Amino acid sequence: MPRYEFRCRACGDTFEVNRPMAEAGRPATCPQGHADTVKLLSTVAVTGRGGSAPSGGIPSGGGCCGGSCGC
Ligand SMILES: [Zn+2]
């Protein structure tokens, strides 16, 4: 069963809800009882930022410099 992450706009808490995909768009209630919640994007979609791999095409992982210094 997919897991969805919600954030409560009343208390700022984030919580996860396991529910079938058919109910993914339904509002969730905060564990504190607040109904003003928003569904967050999946954690997979959030990792797009941070710039760990510049667009220069340098392979990541391996040596300290990608292998060009022989280390
Ligand atoms: Zn709340």
Side-chain angles (χ1 to χ4, degrees):
M1 188 176 296
R3 184 181 64 190
Y4 300 95
E5 192 171 16
F6 287 81
R7 181 170 61 196
C8 177
R9 290 192 290 188
C11 66
D13 193 15
T14 57
F15 57 97
E16 296 172 344
V17 175
N18 291 306
R19 55 170 48 172
M21 291 184 69
E23 300 182 9
R26 303 180 75 178
T29 302
C30 169
Q32 311 301 325
H34 307 126
D36 188 11
T37 60
V38 290
K39 188 163 76 70
L40 303 178
L41 297 176
S42 67
T43 54
V44 177
V46 175
T47 57
R49 303 175 61 144
S52 62
S55 58
I58 301 171
S60 60
C64 65
C65 59
S68 62
C69 73
C71 58

